[in-house]
Amino acid sequence: MSGLTHANFDSATFAIYSLAENVTDERLADIAKIPQDQWEEAGMDERCVKPARPTANLSGKSLKDVVAAHVTTAHQGITSADNGGSDEASWWPHVFMVVTDDKIEDHGLLLVYLKNPFMPQPTKKTCGGAGGDDEDGAKKENCSEDNDVDKDEEKPEFAKFFFRPQKMYNILAGISLRDEDIEQLQAEYDIDVQGAGGSDVSA
């Protein structure tokens, strides 16, 4: 998600997509409204979740296609700052949701997130000393990239988990309002983790 490292997410919305053939656009919009009342009770004015633009319906596609679509959506949703401040992000770039079945209560809602989304990338090139002659007889320099990233450090990768619709606000508020670690939220709300809060259907 290069280019989004320094963006401001204060007004960003979580995107939701659908891979399910039996989920209409109207149904997807209704699912997106699930956390809104609690979101507004927390004093937030903007929409918490919206169907992704330009398209949220990717029925017949794969999760890989959704990831590609979301990368485009996130980058198109960046508004450049006029006064040298932070760019404004319309969408959370490294977190989104996917409806996999109309029966969302049981393995129908998937949260996809990128681990270490803002890991710095190598940007500097250091040159010094002659490195022999090129084809034209000119002297070449020995150049190498300076990488500020620890090579043993975990590289960005996608993770995902299914969750109960009743837990959507808790998860998204944890990410956006409380800056909670998403892996910890997964441990708490993943319906496939024994003992996780997400396994409580009635809550």
Side-chain angles (χ1 to χ4, degrees):
M1 295 290 181
S2 60
L4 295 170
T5 305
H6 303 295
N8 185 330
F9 304 117
D10 289 347
S11 299
T13 296
F14 292 98
I16 189 167
Y17 299 82
S18 175
L19 287 173
E21 295 182 0
N22 57 347
V23 173
T24 64
D25 291 345
E26 292 76 14
R27 172 62 172 152
L28 188 63
D30 286 341
I31 294 172
K33 295 176 184 176
I34 289 174
Q36 190 61 29
D37 287 345
Q38 290 173 285
W39 187 251
E40 292 176 5
E41 287 175 5
M44 308 303 291
D45 296 327
E46 73 278 1
R47 285 290 299 276
C48 180
V49 180
K50 290 181 185 178
R53 297 173 185 163
T55 180
N57 189 339
L58 296 172
S59 172
K61 302 290 187 179
S62 67
L63 186 57
K64 183 177 180 179
D65 294 317
V66 178
V67 171
H70 187 66
V71 169
T72 300
T73 293
H75 279 283
Q76 289 178 344
I78 291 292
T79 302
S80 297
D82 296 328
N83 56 1
S86 298
D87 294 343
E88 295 290 332
S90 299
W91 303 94
W92 281 88
H94 61 292
V95 186
F96 60 89
M97 289 172 291
V98 182
V99 177
T100 60
D101 193 279
D102 184 49
K103 297 177 181 178
I104 59 174
E105 292 79 10
D106 184 14
H107 292 82
L109 277 177
L110 187 70
L111 187 102
V112 182
Y113 66 95
L114 188 66
K115 296 181 179 180
N116 301 322
F118 306 125
M119 174 112 28
Q121 300 298 316
T123 55
K124 295 187 296 182
K125 183 175 285 188
T126 302
C127 299
D133 297 338
D134 62 18
E135 294 178 356
D136 298 324
K139 292 295 183 182
K140 294 188 298 185
E141 289 184 309
N142 285 324
C143 297
S144 62
E145 286 185 336
D146 287 341
N147 190 346
D148 292 333
V149 180
D150 186 339
K151 294 186 184 300
D152 295 329
E153 214 171 342
E154 184 181 8
K155 296 297 185 290
E157 62 176 315
F158 279 100
K160 60 187 185 296
F161 64 94
F162 286 101
F163 64 95
R164 306 290 184 193
Q166 299 92 335
K167 304 297 185 179
M168 189 185 296
Y169 170 78
N170 300 50
I171 296 169
L172 300 184
I175 296 168
S176 59
L177 303 182
R178 298 189 291 271
D179 196 27
E180 295 181 22
D181 182 84
I182 304 180
E183 292 184 61
Q184 287 299 116
L185 291 169
Q186 178 172 358
E188 185 173 357
Y189 294 113
D190 186 340
I191 64 176
D192 292 317
V193 174
Q194 185 175 6
S199 62
D200 183 2
V201 180
S202 62

mmCIF file of all heavy atoms in Angstrom, residues 157-184:
data_model
loop_
_atom_site.group_PDB
_atom_site.id
_atom_site.type_symbol
_atom_site.label_atom_id
_atom_site.label_comp_id
_atom_site.label_asym_id
_atom_site.label_seq_id
_atom_site.Cartn_x
_atom_site.Cartn_y
_atom_site.Cartn_z
ATOM 1 N N GLU A 157 1.891 -9.145 4.744
ATOM 2 C CA GLU A 157 1.140 -10.258 4.185
ATOM 3 C C GLU A 157 -0.314 -10.149 4.629
ATOM 4 O O GLU A 157 -0.623 -9.566 5.664
ATOM 5 C CB GLU A 157 1.732 -11.596 4.622
ATOM 6 C CG GLU A 157 1.687 -11.820 6.133
ATOM 7 C CD GLU A 157 2.198 -13.195 6.524
ATOM 8 O OE1 GLU A 157 1.815 -14.179 5.866
ATOM 9 O OE2 GLU A 157 2.958 -13.282 7.498
ATOM 10 N N PHE A 158 -1.211 -10.712 3.816
ATOM 11 C CA PHE A 158 -2.622 -10.655 4.133
ATOM 12 C C PHE A 158 -3.010 -11.767 5.099
ATOM 13 O O PHE A 158 -2.457 -12.868 5.068
ATOM 14 C CB PHE A 158 -3.455 -10.770 2.860
ATOM 15 C CG PHE A 158 -3.578 -9.474 2.107
ATOM 16 C CD1 PHE A 158 -2.771 -9.227 1.005
ATOM 17 C CD2 PHE A 158 -4.492 -8.503 2.502
ATOM 18 C CE1 PHE A 158 -2.867 -8.031 0.310
ATOM 19 C CE2 PHE A 158 -4.589 -7.309 1.820
ATOM 20 C CZ PHE A 158 -3.783 -7.075 0.715
ATOM 21 N N ALA A 159 -3.969 -11.449 5.962
ATOM 22 C CA ALA A 159 -4.570 -12.421 6.863
ATOM 23 C C ALA A 159 -6.081 -12.201 6.827
ATOM 24 O O ALA A 159 -6.556 -11.147 6.379
ATOM 25 C CB ALA A 159 -4.019 -12.256 8.280
ATOM 26 N N LYS A 160 -6.828 -13.151 7.321
ATOM 27 C CA LYS A 160 -8.292 -13.027 7.260
ATOM 28 C C LYS A 160 -8.927 -13.890 8.343
ATOM 29 O O LYS A 160 -8.315 -14.855 8.824
ATOM 30 C CB LYS A 160 -8.809 -13.451 5.878
ATOM 31 C CG LYS A 160 -8.484 -14.876 5.485
ATOM 32 C CD LYS A 160 -8.872 -15.154 4.040
ATOM 33 C CE LYS A 160 -8.664 -16.615 3.647
ATOM 34 N NZ LYS A 160 -7.257 -17.005 3.698
ATOM 35 N N PHE A 161 -10.163 -13.528 8.701
ATOM 36 C CA PHE A 161 -10.929 -14.364 9.616
ATOM 37 C C PHE A 161 -12.415 -14.060 9.469
ATOM 38 O O PHE A 161 -12.818 -12.955 9.118
ATOM 39 C CB PHE A 161 -10.477 -14.175 11.068
ATOM 40 C CG PHE A 161 -10.691 -12.799 11.653
ATOM 41 C CD1 PHE A 161 -11.838 -12.492 12.391
ATOM 42 C CD2 PHE A 161 -9.738 -11.809 11.483
ATOM 43 C CE1 PHE A 161 -12.025 -11.229 12.938
ATOM 44 C CE2 PHE A 161 -9.920 -10.539 12.028
ATOM 45 C CZ PHE A 161 -11.064 -10.258 12.761
ATOM 46 N N PHE A 162 -13.236 -15.083 9.742
ATOM 47 C CA PHE A 162 -14.688 -14.927 9.733
ATOM 48 C C PHE A 162 -15.139 -14.413 11.103
ATOM 49 O O PHE A 162 -14.581 -14.794 12.138
ATOM 50 C CB PHE A 162 -15.370 -16.266 9.442
ATOM 51 C CG PHE A 162 -15.272 -16.696 8.005
ATOM 52 C CD1 PHE A 162 -14.339 -17.656 7.615
ATOM 53 C CD2 PHE A 162 -16.114 -16.148 7.044
ATOM 54 C CE1 PHE A 162 -14.248 -18.061 6.291
ATOM 55 C CE2 PHE A 162 -16.033 -16.541 5.720
ATOM 56 C CZ PHE A 162 -15.093 -17.500 5.336
ATOM 57 N N PHE A 163 -16.167 -13.578 11.099
ATOM 58 C CA PHE A 163 -16.670 -13.026 12.349
ATOM 59 C C PHE A 163 -18.192 -12.919 12.308
ATOM 60 O O PHE A 163 -18.812 -12.952 11.240
ATOM 61 C CB PHE A 163 -16.049 -11.647 12.624
ATOM 62 C CG PHE A 163 -16.419 -10.588 11.610
ATOM 63 C CD1 PHE A 163 -17.483 -9.715 11.833
ATOM 64 C CD2 PHE A 163 -15.707 -10.474 10.423
ATOM 65 C CE1 PHE A 163 -17.825 -8.745 10.895
ATOM 66 C CE2 PHE A 163 -16.040 -9.496 9.482
ATOM 67 C CZ PHE A 163 -17.100 -8.637 9.721
ATOM 68 N N ARG A 164 -18.796 -12.784 13.481
ATOM 69 C CA ARG A 164 -20.247 -12.641 13.586
ATOM 70 C C ARG A 164 -20.647 -11.206 13.255
ATOM 71 O O ARG A 164 -19.941 -10.252 13.629
ATOM 72 C CB ARG A 164 -20.731 -12.978 14.991
ATOM 73 C CG ARG A 164 -20.308 -14.342 15.506
ATOM 74 C CD ARG A 164 -20.998 -15.467 14.800
ATOM 75 N NE ARG A 164 -20.630 -16.761 15.389
ATOM 76 C CZ ARG A 164 -20.886 -17.929 14.838
ATOM 77 N NH1 ARG A 164 -21.514 -17.976 13.674
ATOM 78 N NH2 ARG A 164 -20.516 -19.047 15.432
ATOM 79 N N PRO A 165 -21.782 -11.016 12.583
ATOM 80 C CA PRO A 165 -22.207 -9.653 12.244
ATOM 81 C C PRO A 165 -22.394 -8.770 13.465
ATOM 82 O O PRO A 165 -22.161 -7.564 13.410
ATOM 83 C CB PRO A 165 -23.519 -9.863 11.483
ATOM 84 C CG PRO A 165 -23.946 -11.262 11.779
ATOM 85 C CD PRO A 165 -22.702 -12.031 12.032
ATOM 86 N N GLN A 166 -22.801 -9.373 14.606
ATOM 87 C CA GLN A 166 -23.010 -8.595 15.822
ATOM 88 C C GLN A 166 -21.719 -7.999 16.366
ATOM 89 O O GLN A 166 -21.737 -7.093 17.206
ATOM 90 C CB GLN A 166 -23.650 -9.475 16.917
ATOM 91 C CG GLN A 166 -25.005 -10.035 16.535
ATOM 92 C CD GLN A 166 -24.894 -11.412 15.879
ATOM 93 O OE1 GLN A 166 -23.857 -11.748 15.297
ATOM 94 N NE2 GLN A 166 -25.955 -12.202 15.973
ATOM 95 N N LYS A 167 -20.592 -8.505 15.901
ATOM 96 C CA LYS A 167 -19.294 -8.045 16.383
ATOM 97 C C LYS A 167 -18.635 -7.034 15.441
ATOM 98 O O LYS A 167 -17.515 -6.599 15.690
ATOM 99 C CB LYS A 167 -18.357 -9.243 16.575
ATOM 100 C CG LYS A 167 -18.895 -10.318 17.504
ATOM 101 C CD LYS A 167 -19.099 -9.796 18.913
ATOM 102 C CE LYS A 167 -19.530 -10.908 19.857
ATOM 103 N NZ LYS A 167 -19.716 -10.421 21.240
ATOM 104 N N MET A 168 -19.319 -6.667 14.368
ATOM 105 C CA MET A 168 -18.701 -5.799 13.374
ATOM 106 C C MET A 168 -18.263 -4.471 13.978
ATOM 107 O O MET A 168 -17.141 -4.007 13.742
ATOM 108 C CB MET A 168 -19.660 -5.551 12.201
ATOM 109 C CG MET A 168 -19.002 -4.833 11.024
ATOM 110 S SD MET A 168 -20.154 -4.401 9.686
ATOM 111 C CE MET A 168 -20.675 -6.021 9.118
ATOM 112 N N TYR A 169 -19.126 -3.852 14.773
ATOM 113 C CA TYR A 169 -18.752 -2.562 15.363
ATOM 114 C C TYR A 169 -17.546 -2.714 16.285
ATOM 115 O O TYR A 169 -16.615 -1.904 16.235
ATOM 116 C CB TYR A 169 -19.922 -1.958 16.141
ATOM 117 C CG TYR A 169 -19.483 -0.751 16.947
ATOM 118 C CD1 TYR A 169 -19.283 0.479 16.331
ATOM 119 C CD2 TYR A 169 -19.223 -0.857 18.327
ATOM 120 C CE1 TYR A 169 -18.840 1.584 17.052
ATOM 121 C CE2 TYR A 169 -18.781 0.238 19.049
ATOM 122 C CZ TYR A 169 -18.598 1.455 18.407
ATOM 123 O OH TYR A 169 -18.148 2.541 19.118
ATOM 124 N N ASN A 170 -17.554 -3.742 17.144
ATOM 125 C CA ASN A 170 -16.443 -3.934 18.079
ATOM 126 C C ASN A 170 -15.110 -4.025 17.345
ATOM 127 O O ASN A 170 -14.106 -3.438 17.759
ATOM 128 C CB ASN A 170 -16.654 -5.219 18.885
ATOM 129 C CG ASN A 170 -17.931 -5.213 19.696
ATOM 130 O OD1 ASN A 170 -19.001 -4.921 19.177
ATOM 131 N ND2 ASN A 170 -17.835 -5.570 20.968
ATOM 132 N N ILE A 171 -15.108 -4.760 16.247
ATOM 133 C CA ILE A 171 -13.873 -4.960 15.493
ATOM 134 C C ILE A 171 -13.427 -3.664 14.826
ATOM 135 O O ILE A 171 -12.265 -3.240 14.952
ATOM 136 C CB ILE A 171 -14.058 -6.068 14.446
ATOM 137 C CG1 ILE A 171 -14.330 -7.411 15.135
ATOM 138 C CG2 ILE A 171 -12.836 -6.171 13.540
ATOM 139 C CD1 ILE A 171 -14.795 -8.506 14.190
ATOM 140 N N LEU A 172 -14.351 -3.022 14.120
ATOM 141 C CA LEU A 172 -13.981 -1.827 13.355
ATOM 142 C C LEU A 172 -13.661 -0.645 14.262
ATOM 143 O O LEU A 172 -12.754 0.136 13.975
ATOM 144 C CB LEU A 172 -15.098 -1.471 12.370
ATOM 145 C CG LEU A 172 -15.429 -2.562 11.338
ATOM 146 C CD1 LEU A 172 -16.480 -2.068 10.367
ATOM 147 C CD2 LEU A 172 -14.174 -3.030 10.608
ATOM 148 N N ALA A 173 -14.391 -0.526 15.370
ATOM 149 C CA ALA A 173 -14.074 0.531 16.328
ATOM 150 C C ALA A 173 -12.727 0.270 16.987
ATOM 151 O O ALA A 173 -11.964 1.200 17.271
ATOM 152 C CB ALA A 173 -15.171 0.639 17.381
ATOM 153 N N GLY A 174 -12.425 -1.001 17.214
ATOM 154 C CA GLY A 174 -11.119 -1.341 17.785
ATOM 155 C C GLY A 174 -9.989 -0.906 16.876
ATOM 156 O O GLY A 174 -8.959 -0.406 17.334
ATOM 157 N N ILE A 175 -10.197 -1.059 15.580
ATOM 158 C CA ILE A 175 -9.170 -0.675 14.614
ATOM 159 C C ILE A 175 -9.065 0.838 14.485
ATOM 160 O O ILE A 175 -7.976 1.414 14.552
ATOM 161 C CB ILE A 175 -9.473 -1.293 13.234
ATOM 162 C CG1 ILE A 175 -9.401 -2.822 13.310
ATOM 163 C CG2 ILE A 175 -8.521 -0.751 12.167
ATOM 164 C CD1 ILE A 175 -9.965 -3.526 12.099
ATOM 165 N N SER A 176 -10.208 1.494 14.305
ATOM 166 C CA SER A 176 -10.193 2.914 13.924
ATOM 167 C C SER A 176 -10.220 3.872 15.110
ATOM 168 O O SER A 176 -9.627 4.949 15.039
ATOM 169 C CB SER A 176 -11.384 3.214 13.009
ATOM 170 O OG SER A 176 -12.604 2.913 13.673
ATOM 171 N N LEU A 177 -10.902 3.508 16.178
ATOM 172 C CA LEU A 177 -11.054 4.431 17.305
ATOM 173 C C LEU A 177 -10.095 4.135 18.453
ATOM 174 O O LEU A 177 -9.709 5.039 19.188
ATOM 175 C CB LEU A 177 -12.493 4.398 17.832
ATOM 176 C CG LEU A 177 -13.597 4.709 16.812
ATOM 177 C CD1 LEU A 177 -14.959 4.688 17.494
ATOM 178 C CD2 LEU A 177 -13.354 6.039 16.126
ATOM 179 N N ARG A 178 -9.723 2.870 18.603
ATOM 180 C CA ARG A 178 -8.895 2.498 19.747
ATOM 181 C C ARG A 178 -7.505 2.003 19.342
ATOM 182 O O ARG A 178 -6.703 1.656 20.216
ATOM 183 C CB ARG A 178 -9.615 1.431 20.579
ATOM 184 C CG ARG A 178 -10.940 1.915 21.160
ATOM 185 C CD ARG A 178 -11.512 0.935 22.153
ATOM 186 N NE ARG A 178 -11.959 -0.311 21.530
ATOM 187 C CZ ARG A 178 -13.181 -0.500 21.039
ATOM 188 N NH1 ARG A 178 -14.076 0.482 21.088
ATOM 189 N NH2 ARG A 178 -13.518 -1.658 20.503
ATOM 190 N N ASP A 179 -7.244 1.970 18.042
ATOM 191 C CA ASP A 179 -5.927 1.587 17.533
ATOM 192 C C ASP A 179 -5.470 0.251 18.118
ATOM 193 O O ASP A 179 -4.309 0.072 18.493
ATOM 194 C CB ASP A 179 -4.898 2.687 17.843
ATOM 195 C CG ASP A 179 -3.632 2.535 17.010
ATOM 196 O OD1 ASP A 179 -3.719 1.972 15.903
ATOM 197 O OD2 ASP A 179 -2.552 2.971 17.464
ATOM 198 N N GLU A 180 -6.399 -0.708 18.169
ATOM 199 C CA GLU A 180 -6.065 -2.022 18.694
ATOM 200 C C GLU A 180 -5.379 -2.869 17.622
ATOM 201 O O GLU A 180 -5.603 -2.696 16.427
ATOM 202 C CB GLU A 180 -7.335 -2.726 19.190
ATOM 203 C CG GLU A 180 -7.983 -2.039 20.378
ATOM 204 C CD GLU A 180 -9.225 -2.772 20.866
ATOM 205 O OE1 GLU A 180 -9.348 -3.980 20.587
ATOM 206 O OE2 GLU A 180 -10.070 -2.136 21.511
ATOM 207 N N ASP A 181 -4.567 -3.774 18.060
ATOM 208 C CA ASP A 181 -3.858 -4.676 17.154
ATOM 209 C C ASP A 181 -4.865 -5.629 16.509
ATOM 210 O O ASP A 181 -5.638 -6.290 17.211
ATOM 211 C CB ASP A 181 -2.809 -5.462 17.935
ATOM 212 C CG ASP A 181 -2.007 -6.369 17.030
ATOM 213 O OD1 ASP A 181 -1.029 -5.902 16.422
ATOM 214 O OD2 ASP A 181 -2.369 -7.556 16.921
ATOM 215 N N ILE A 182 -4.846 -5.713 15.179
ATOM 216 C CA ILE A 182 -5.860 -6.508 14.488
ATOM 217 C C ILE A 182 -5.666 -7.998 14.775
ATOM 218 O O ILE A 182 -6.647 -8.754 14.845
ATOM 219 C CB ILE A 182 -5.831 -6.245 12.972
ATOM 220 C CG1 ILE A 182 -5.998 -4.745 12.692
ATOM 221 C CG2 ILE A 182 -6.955 -7.011 12.274
ATOM 222 C CD1 ILE A 182 -5.985 -4.383 11.215
ATOM 223 N N GLU A 183 -4.449 -8.427 14.973
ATOM 224 C CA GLU A 183 -4.233 -9.837 15.289
ATOM 225 C C GLU A 183 -4.842 -10.193 16.644
ATOM 226 O O GLU A 183 -5.346 -11.307 16.829
ATOM 227 C CB GLU A 183 -2.746 -10.156 15.245
ATOM 228 C CG GLU A 183 -2.162 -10.084 13.835
ATOM 229 C CD GLU A 183 -0.708 -10.486 13.792
ATOM 230 O OE1 GLU A 183 -0.399 -11.652 14.143
ATOM 231 O OE2 GLU A 183 0.127 -9.656 13.413
ATOM 232 N N GLN A 184 -4.826 -9.243 17.568
ATOM 233 C CA GLN A 184 -5.483 -9.471 18.852
ATOM 234 C C GLN A 184 -6.993 -9.505 18.680
ATOM 235 O O GLN A 184 -7.690 -10.301 19.325
ATOM 236 C CB GLN A 184 -5.084 -8.385 19.852
ATOM 237 C CG GLN A 184 -3.665 -8.503 20.362
ATOM 238 C CD GLN A 184 -3.449 -9.819 21.097
ATOM 239 O OE1 GLN A 184 -2.659 -10.653 20.652
ATOM 240 N NE2 GLN A 184 -4.134 -10.019 22.203
#
